[in-house]
């Protein structure tokens, strides 16, 4: 009776035009969402390029830039393809296919990359090329097997509707796709929980509230991915891409503002190292002690244009050694290290020169941008410079 009512209502001469208007409005809304998502994809692509150009020796920022630039490009290509089909074709079936091989393999690679950022952020200097390869091994192994299957077998069962998975469970490609799906969920979630474990390496950084937000958002994206892969519909299809794009754009902006928004530096117990400066410590620790002693004595970092090349020349060392020493000491790179020293210098100057203004102290510490100084100081001390000085005067 319900089907008969719908048929008589929409296909009656009086209501057929109304039905066509509803259909046209619906497809216009879908197309508008695609255009909106495409704009977001272009934005995150260019944010990734800007991060690449701005990264310098900060490898975390460099790899985030590469990751989001590629993700933005792939999402943009996907949306252009979608838009062409919406405008010029009526064959939508391929976009509603469940356990899509291509989609899952792309997801597996990039969600693995995204899930490693909290680990890399907390355990500075922990990731060697070998360790990175080990972490990517499950994803790489699954991708290799899947590509070999596609190349040498080629049979891919069309799965439209959730129950079609169970109906075709005996097919080899369906079994393989289920394995890919399970791995693409379990390993990223496991990597997200690794930062909660202890003694992976000597911890030089502490998690910020942004890391909790990062893990929460990307865990939600994983749940979205489950719905996208097993229960895809128009709403999931369009909002999934927008959610991913907005998340990538948000954290890309944070990476532009901070050297590492997911964690902050924990000061080394330098006095313990300096008791026996060159005994039972690594080359990098010895170089860090030498570097710190030089910078504390001469304070060249108060010059706004002080660069890593100046420090390399003063210490007569190689850039690769110096960068590695900085990273193993818990800093993302030279810029974070120098800004840390400038903030410490500002605090000491504020204590020794109570009559000076914040602007004067800021300039004498090597900062030129008030907004950057306030942002960095608040991230380091969890209070503003004004609040810090007021609190210091009250002691």
């Amino acid at each position: 009776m319900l089907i008969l009512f719908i048929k008589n209502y929409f296909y009656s001469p009086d209501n057929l035009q109304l039905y066509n208007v509803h259909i046209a409005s619906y497809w216009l809304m879908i197309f508008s969402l695609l255009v909106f998502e495409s704009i977001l994809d272009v934005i995150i692509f260019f944010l990734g390029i800007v991060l690449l150009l701005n990264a310098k020796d900060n490898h975390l920022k460099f790899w985030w830039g590469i990751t989001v630039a590629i993700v933005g490009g792939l999402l943009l290509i996907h949306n252009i393809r979608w838009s062409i089909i919406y405008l010029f074709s009526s064959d939508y079936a391929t976009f509603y296919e469940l356990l899509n091989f291509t989609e899952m393999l792309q997801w597996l690679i990039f969600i693995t990359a995204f899930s490693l950022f909290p680990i890399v952020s907390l355990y500075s200097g922990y990731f060697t090329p070998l360790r990175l390869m080990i972490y990517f091994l499950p994803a790489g192994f699954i991708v290799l097997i899947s590509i070999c299957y596609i190349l040498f077998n080629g049979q891919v069962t069309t799965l439209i509707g959730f129950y079609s998975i169970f109906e075709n469970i005996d097919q080899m490609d369906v079994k393989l796709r289920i394995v890919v799906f399970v791995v693409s969920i379990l390993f990223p979630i496991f990597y997200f929980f690794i930062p909660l474990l202890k003694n992976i390496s000597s911890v030089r950084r502490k998690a910020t509230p942004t890391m909790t937000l990062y893990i929460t958002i990307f865990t939600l994206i994983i749940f979205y991915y489950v719905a996208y892969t097993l229960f895809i519909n128009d709403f999931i299809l369009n909002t999934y891409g927008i959610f991913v794009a907005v998340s990538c754009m948000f954290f890309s902006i944070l990476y532009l503002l901070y050297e590492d928004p997911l964690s902050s530096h924990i000061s080394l117990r330098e006095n313990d190292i300096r008791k026996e400066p060159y005994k039972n410590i690594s080359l990098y620790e010895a170089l860090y002690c030498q570097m710190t002693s030089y910078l504390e004595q001469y304070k060249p970092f108060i010059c706004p244009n002080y660069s890593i090349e100046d420090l390399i020349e003063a210490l007569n060392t190689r850039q690769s050694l110096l960068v590695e020493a900085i990273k193993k000491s818990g800093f993302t790179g030279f810029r974070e290290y120098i800004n840390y020293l400038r903030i410490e210098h500002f605090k000491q100057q504020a204590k020794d020169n109570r009559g000076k203004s914040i602007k004067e102290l800021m300039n004498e510490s090597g900062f030129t941008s008030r907004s950057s100084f306030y942002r960095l100081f608040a991230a380091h001390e969890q209070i503003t410079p004004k609040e810090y000085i007021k609190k210091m005067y009250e002691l």
Side-chain angles (χ1 to χ4, degrees):
M1 292 293 294
L2 178 62
I3 295 174
L4 184 62
F5 169 77
I6 293 173
K7 180 179 179 181
N8 291 334
Y9 179 81
F10 281 113
Y11 290 95
S12 65
D14 294 333
N15 295 311
L16 185 58
Q17 186 176 2
L18 178 62
Y19 171 77
N20 291 333
V21 169
H22 287 167
I23 292 296
S25 300
Y26 173 77
W27 290 119
L28 179 62
M29 180 190 70
I30 296 295
F31 185 72
S32 299
L33 287 173
L34 283 172
V35 171
F36 176 66
E37 184 187 339
S38 299
I39 294 171
L40 294 178
D41 297 337
V42 171
I43 292 173
I44 64 172
F45 174 79
F46 282 105
L47 281 174
I49 298 300
V50 171
L51 283 167
L52 283 174
L53 298 175
N54 191 48
K56 294 186 178 179
D57 63 328
N58 187 338
H59 292 174
L60 196 65
K61 184 177 289 190
F62 176 81
W63 286 111
W64 179 267
I66 286 181
T67 304
V68 296
I70 296 176
V71 167
L74 288 175
L75 287 175
L76 182 61
I77 292 171
H78 188 272
N79 287 331
I80 291 173
R81 184 184 172 201
W82 249 115
S83 301
I84 291 173
I85 289 180
Y86 271 133
L87 290 173
F88 303 109
S89 176
S90 58
D91 181 21
Y92 311 124
T94 56
F95 284 93
Y96 295 93
E97 184 180 354
L98 307 184
L99 296 175
N100 187 291
F101 248 138
T102 304
E103 299 282 350
M104 288 194 299
L105 294 179
Q106 289 179 3
W107 159 270
L108 180 57
I109 293 171
F110 288 107
I111 195 59
T112 301
F114 282 122
S115 66
L116 290 178
F117 275 92
I119 310 174
V120 180
S121 174
L122 277 184
Y123 303 101
S124 181
Y126 169 73
F127 266 91
T128 61
L130 178 60
R131 283 197 180 110
L132 189 64
M133 185 178 68
I134 291 172
Y135 275 86
F136 264 100
L137 193 60
F141 184 68
I142 290 295
V143 170
L144 181 62
I145 290 177
S146 301
I147 291 175
C148 288
Y149 176 83
I150 294 171
L151 290 177
F152 298 107
N153 189 301
Q155 178 186 351
V156 179
T157 306
T158 301
L159 301 175
I160 305 296
F162 183 74
Y163 289 104
S164 64
I165 298 174
F166 298 98
E167 293 170 357
N168 297 279
I169 195 69
D170 57 322
Q171 300 296 322
M172 179 61 69
D173 70 297
V174 176
K175 294 178 182 178
L176 178 58
R177 288 152 74 178
I178 291 173
V179 171
V180 174
F181 175 69
V182 172
V183 170
S184 66
I185 297 171
L186 294 183
F187 274 92
I189 291 177
F190 174 70
Y191 290 161
F192 277 134
F193 281 94
I194 284 181
L196 302 177
L197 304 177
K198 304 296 183 182
N199 300 323
I200 293 183
S201 69
S202 181
V203 179
R204 304 299 193 195
R205 303 184 69 84
K206 59 183 177 180
T208 63
T210 307
M211 180 175 287
T212 304
L213 179 63
Y214 180 92
I215 294 175
T216 301
I217 287 177
F218 276 92
T219 302
L220 290 175
I221 289 176
I222 290 175
F223 284 112
Y224 230 127
Y225 162 75
V226 172
Y228 178 84
T229 308
L230 296 181
F231 309 100
I232 190 168
N233 56 41
D234 286 335
F235 175 79
I236 294 173
L237 185 66
N238 289 280
T239 56
Y240 170 71
I242 292 174
F243 189 40
V244 171
V246 169
S247 301
C248 289
M249 183 171 65
F250 173 73
F251 288 107
S252 296
I253 292 172
L254 290 182
Y255 270 105
L256 283 174
L257 296 175
Y258 303 98
E259 292 301 309
D260 182 1
L262 304 185
S263 66
S264 58
H265 177 257
I266 300 175
S267 299
L268 287 172
R269 295 181 298 171
E270 294 171 18
N271 291 331
D272 292 345
I273 295 176
R274 290 174 182 175
K275 288 177 183 178
E276 297 179 283
Y278 294 99
K279 184 179 179 182
N280 297 326
I281 62 174
S282 69
L283 170 65
Y284 300 116
E285 289 173 321
L287 180 57
Y288 179 80
C289 290
Q290 180 188 0
M291 173 176 57
T292 303
S293 298
Y294 167 77
L295 292 170
E296 287 182 354
Q297 181 179 355
Y298 297 103
K299 295 181 172 49
F301 53 83
I302 63 174
C303 173
N305 297 323
Y306 191 67
S307 67
I308 191 171
E309 288 77 16
D310 297 326
L311 183 57
I312 291 168
E313 183 179 354
L315 299 179
N316 192 25
T317 187
R318 297 197 306 271
Q319 180 169 339
S320 58
L321 288 176
L322 188 65
V323 169
E324 194 63 26
I326 292 173
K327 291 182 184 301
K328 287 186 179 297
S329 302
F331 296 96
T332 58
F334 176 77
R335 282 183 299 193
E336 187 182 44
Y337 176 54
I338 290 300
N339 285 331
Y340 166 78
L341 294 177
R342 286 170 175 166
I343 290 171
E344 292 298 311
H345 183 74
F346 172 91
K347 289 160 60 178
Q348 186 60 46
Q349 291 298 104
K351 183 179 179 181
D352 297 339
N353 303 276
R354 295 200 171 196
K356 290 189 176 181
S357 67
I358 292 178
K359 183 178 180 181
E360 289 176 309
L361 294 170
M362 179 193 80
N363 292 332
E364 291 175 4
S365 300
F367 291 101
T368 56
S369 170
R370 184 179 182 276
S371 59
S372 295
F373 167 67
Y374 270 73
R375 185 178 69 249
L376 293 170
F377 191 94
H380 188 268
E381 299 292 331
Q382 281 73 57
I383 55 176
T384 66
K386 185 177 180 180
E387 291 170 339
Y388 177 85
I389 292 176
K390 182 180 178 181
K391 185 178 179 180
M392 183 181 64
Y393 287 171
E394 291 173 352
L395 296 177

